[in-house]
Amino acid sequence: MTAELVRGQNHTLPQTRLEIRISAGSPVLAGATLGDEHGTVHGAERIAHPGSPRLPGLEVSRQAAADHRLAVDLEALPEAVHRVTVLLALPTGVGGPTRFGATAAPFVAVTGLDGVEIATFTLTGLDAESAVSALELYRRQGAWKVRAVGQGYAAGLAEMLADQGVDRAAELAVSIQEAVTRSLARSVAPPPPRTPEGDRVRQATGSSDRRPSVTPPPARPAEPLTDPAAGPPEPPAAPAGPAPSGPANAGAGSTADSPINYAHPRRQHAAPPPPPPVAPPAQPGQAAQPVAGDATGWSMDERLYNQIWGMFEDLARAAAAYRSAVDFAESRMDQELDRALSDPRNRIGGAGDRAREQARAKRDELTTRAREVLDRDLAQLAAEAAVVEPALPAAYAGWDNPVWHAHRVPMELPMALRIGDLHLPERTDLRIPLLVRLPLERGMWVDSRRTASEAAALMDSDRLRRLAMETAVLHAARLLAVYPPGEFSVHVIDPAGSAAGPLAPLVDAGVLAGPPAAGPGGVASVLAHLTRRVDLVQMAVRAGAADSLPPDLDTGEQLLVVNDFPHGFDDRAVTQLRYLADEGPSVGVHLLMVADREEASAYGPVLDPLWRSLLRITPVADSHLADPWVGHAWTYEPLTTPPGSHVLERVLASVAAARRTGGR
């Protein structure tokens, strides 16, 4: 029976291997400190946080997220540790809430490895606090207990660490927040938190075949559920139906601490209907057959979107459980060997050999069982992917999907766009589509430098630059193809004219807003035009006078493709580009940059906010993106057209034809 704790209450823990699950109304950083019998933390090496997520017997998330799972093995903790304190803090400098009173009450659950809750605690009553000691696991007379704490700190993480006796707490707090900021910059942005009605739904006959720990229970705040539109502003954390945001829907559903509104412009505030039963019930003991659209949503596109995000999370959780089990098996083997060989009489002779063999046999048994569970989950996800991929609409499909051969420019904006695929080393052929919401909430940066990836190492710099621009052209083409006619324009800055080859499909089809801008004059002209648009739309929105915009102003979404930055940019142009990156997305102006960050190093930290504001992608396979649940490093694979295919030219021709006819 679950113990529902209140502040100050404790409960005996029946086991030593635990998970601590955290659900919050917006992204929070989660960490833990290891204290002595008095609760004193002796140094930064006793603190697990996103910048240093692993300690003996403890592992925390590598980034800020609305949902966390912390792994704890009390037997593996150092002997001097008597108290494990779980900490929550709001990230700073990322545009999110600055106090817990502006978010839903965090919910913390201590569970066993089977997912069964042992104790729960809802942190109510927080207001101006930006950091909180949520709960503590403590050792008393040889037994471990959990206590609900709920002690908040208005001065933030530094005050909380100082209260536990940490030296130079302010400096450590700054370094932790910087690590969180870096992780958010490389993280895929999550959808808004799900509601119980909006959770991913699977056929009831097949749900028992999934590991209990793969899909966590929905958050259970103490207060009544609020509008899920008031979700976090950043990064893609649970597979509920997110929705486009932008200037057209900047009203209801937003909060003072959340500048982005996730309310779907065509959606009611009621819960979406469950998916229709399209598959026959499975036989007892057998998994249900996967079907496309097996998730909640108001349309098939929304159900597929939610299903893909559910697959993404399931794969992340399954891999995390497997890696955790392998780490535990290795740790347990080391501990058994240490205990067995601590007696000098066992270090030589048959007793020592038998102890080593037994410890390794147990390790192998645990890892084999973990791999069997992982393989079962991977097989189910692979079967699901096999039926989902052919059913995807063009916006979610790869270039090799036949849907593109019969593509027609839509009359309504889709919910999201596919910009690549993600996979993990546990099964590289299981690819998860990487979907970003539309309108874009964040610009993109195609990194043209030679990274440490094997694919990049095999190419010279010139080939990588060309491939990066070709990747940008494909993304621009996909955006043009999924927007209704006349609602999306693409501008190009190519200062040296070096991208004439990759830009040829866009230029030849006549789908650009104007010829690619070259030279200092061309760069200044395009930036001035888009900066003026941002200024005018912002003023009109603030004044509530959208009808006062000049008649010649294009109110559709705008994409600026910049090649080979910072070449051709002076200080004024760089300042304008930063302005567009910061202010543009909220009024429909977006960046797609092709750049080598090292070449812009002369600007120093001035450009750091620019790079952090953009989603970094690569023209070749590279492991640099992180999921928002456990922070795995995923290999990103860019989308490419099949060799010898003319699908890009056909799609751009259909875009040009739709513009001429107005979509008729």
Side-chain angles (χ1 to χ4, degrees):
M1 182 176 179
T2 303
E4 297 184 1
L5 305 180
V6 296
R7 191 173 274 105
Q9 189 176 3
N10 59 41
H11 182 74
T12 301
L13 294 172
Q15 57 202 77
T16 57
R17 289 201 68 205
L18 307 165
E19 272 194 347
I20 299 175
R21 300 181 179 182
I22 299 165
S23 298
S26 66
V28 298
L29 69 89
T33 61
L34 304 181
D36 60 17
E37 62 271 19
H38 304 295
T40 303
V41 179
H42 298 281
E45 65 275 8
R46 290 294 177 93
I47 304 174
H49 56 83
S52 179
R54 285 189 176 186
L55 295 178
L58 178 65
E59 183 173 2
V60 304
S61 303
R62 291 168 172 79
Q63 62 188 46
D67 295 295
H68 291 274
R69 292 191 181 190
L70 281 59
V72 181
D73 182 0
L74 298 174
E75 291 184 350
L77 295 173
E79 288 293 331
V81 172
H82 290 259
R83 188 177 302 178
V84 180
T85 304
V86 177
L87 314 175
L88 304 180
L90 294 171
T92 59
V94 296
T98 58
R99 58 187 183 89
F100 276 108
T103 70
F107 172 79
V108 183
V110 180
T111 77
L113 296 186
D114 55 2
V116 176
E117 291 180 348
I118 299 170
T120 63
F121 176 41
T122 302
L123 284 76
T124 57
L126 298 176
D127 186 13
E129 298 88 347
S130 60
V132 60
S133 295
L135 55 79
E136 62 184 17
L137 314 178
Y138 64 98
R139 181 158 42 191
R140 181 68 54 81
Q141 297 178 348
W144 283 93
K145 297 183 178 182
V146 56
R147 177 187 291 121
V149 180
Q151 174 64 53
Y153 297 85
L157 188 59
E159 182 186 11
M160 180 167 55
L161 295 176
D163 192 40
Q164 297 186 33
V166 178
D167 292 332
R168 305 176 71 177
E171 295 179 17
L172 179 58
V174 170
S175 68
I176 293 174
Q177 291 286 5
E178 289 176 348
V180 171
T181 301
R182 289 193 298 269
S183 70
L184 285 175
R186 75 184 190 98
S187 173
V188 180
R194 58 175 171 262
T195 63
E197 295 84 358
D199 197 3
R200 188 180 186 207
V201 175
R202 292 190 174 274
Q203 302 295 336
T205 52
S207 60
S208 62
D209 293 306
R210 283 198 176 264
R211 293 169 51 258
S213 62
V214 168
T215 305
R220 301 189 297 177
E223 295 98 23
L225 287 173
T226 58
D227 184 353
E234 256 305 337
S245 63
N249 59 340
S254 61
T255 68
D257 289 301
S258 180
I260 295 176
N261 173 26
Y262 292 96
H264 196 295
R266 297 184 298 276
R267 179 186 297 174
Q268 303 293 326
H269 287 290
V278 294
Q283 297 299 320
Q286 296 181 357
Q289 292 298 316
V291 292
D294 187 12
T296 57
W298 292 100
S299 65
M300 186 60 174
D301 285 3
E302 187 175 358
R303 292 198 294 270
L304 286 168
Y305 179 88
N306 291 340
Q307 186 173 15
I308 289 170
W309 271 95
M311 294 165 60
F312 188 10
E313 183 177 9
D314 284 354
L315 181 52
R317 301 289 192 195
Y322 168 70
R323 295 177 186 181
S324 177
V326 171
D327 289 344
F328 170 73
E330 294 286 347
S331 175
R332 177 173 175 175
M333 181 186 70
D334 292 340
Q335 292 177 38
E336 291 179 350
L337 287 175
D338 289 342
R339 284 196 296 266
L341 301 180
S342 61
D343 186 346
R345 293 172 296 180
N346 293 336
R347 294 176 186 171
I348 57 175
D353 293 339
R354 286 192 298 273
R356 293 185 184 92
E357 291 175 2
Q358 291 173 357
R360 289 168 182 154
K362 288 181 182 178
R363 186 269 316 271
D364 293 343
E365 179 186 1
L366 288 173
T367 55
T368 299
R369 288 206 311 243
R371 186 70 210 194
E372 289 173 353
V373 172
L374 176 67
D375 287 342
R376 181 196 66 195
D377 291 341
L378 293 179
Q380 186 171 348
L381 284 168
E384 188 173 9
V387 299
V388 167
E389 188 71 38
L392 295 177
Y396 302 175
W399 286 111
D400 56 349
N401 192 308
V403 70
W404 281 106
H405 294 282
H407 176 67
R408 296 188 63 183
V409 177
M411 299 307 295
E412 290 189 355
L413 180 67
M415 177 174 288
L417 181 74
R418 185 174 184 168
I419 62 169
D421 294 328
L422 300 171
H423 66 81
L424 290 174
E426 280 76 9
R427 181 161 176 175
T428 57
D429 64 330
L430 179 53
R431 307 295 176 92
I432 302 295
L434 175 56
L435 303 180
V436 295
R437 293 188 293 273
L438 294 178
L440 295 172
E441 298 164 3
R442 186 180 185 185
M444 291 184 286
W445 159 35
V446 185
D447 193 349
S448 60
R449 70 185 175 93
R450 179 176 295 177
T451 62
S453 70
E454 181 179 352
L458 297 175
M459 294 186 183
D460 58 48
S461 298
D462 291 339
R463 174 59 181 149
L464 270 175
R465 290 176 188 274
R466 181 181 178 88
L467 198 57
M469 193 59 196
E470 290 174 353
T471 301
V473 167
L474 289 175
H475 288 313
R478 290 176 73 88
L479 285 163
L480 286 165
V482 302
Y483 266 80
E487 294 189 14
F488 194 83
S489 299
V490 177
H491 308 260
V492 176
I493 290 179
D494 183 21
S498 59
L503 287 170
L506 297 176
V507 175
D508 294 346
V511 294
L512 294 178
V523 172
S525 175
V526 172
L527 291 176
H529 170 74
L530 293 177
T531 301
R532 172 179 176 269
R533 183 196 180 281
V534 171
D535 289 339
L536 290 174
V537 174
Q538 280 187 338
M539 288 188 291
V541 170
R542 290 167 184 161
D547 55 351
S548 65
L549 289 170
D552 63 336
L553 187 75
D554 183 1
T555 57
E557 300 283 313
Q558 311 285 313
L559 177 71
L560 174 59
V561 181
V562 179
N563 180 46
D564 213 14
F565 177 82
H567 297 295
F569 281 71
D570 57 20
D571 291 345
R572 175 178 171 80
V574 169
T575 301
Q576 289 177 312
L577 192 69
R578 283 191 56 191
Y579 176 73
L580 293 178
D582 293 339
E583 304 295 335
S586 63
V587 291
V589 177
H590 314 285
L591 287 184
L592 176 53
M593 291 180 53
V594 177
D596 180 345
R597 183 172 182 174
E598 293 181 357
E599 294 183 356
S601 58
Y603 288 95
V606 172
L607 289 181
D608 286 351
L610 172 66
W611 303 119
R612 286 198 298 265
S613 70
L614 304 173
L615 175 63
R616 175 176 172 254
I617 56 179
T618 52
V620 295
D622 190 79
S623 301
H624 66 280
L625 290 177
D627 66 80
W629 302 286
V630 293
H632 290 317
W634 293 71
T635 298
Y636 168 80
E637 293 270 4
L639 298 176
T640 59
T641 55
S645 171
H646 297 284
V647 62
L648 176 61
E649 290 77 7
R650 284 196 292 267
V651 168
L652 291 176
S654 72
V655 171
R659 288 186 171 187
R660 290 192 298 269
T661 62
R664 295 187 298 274

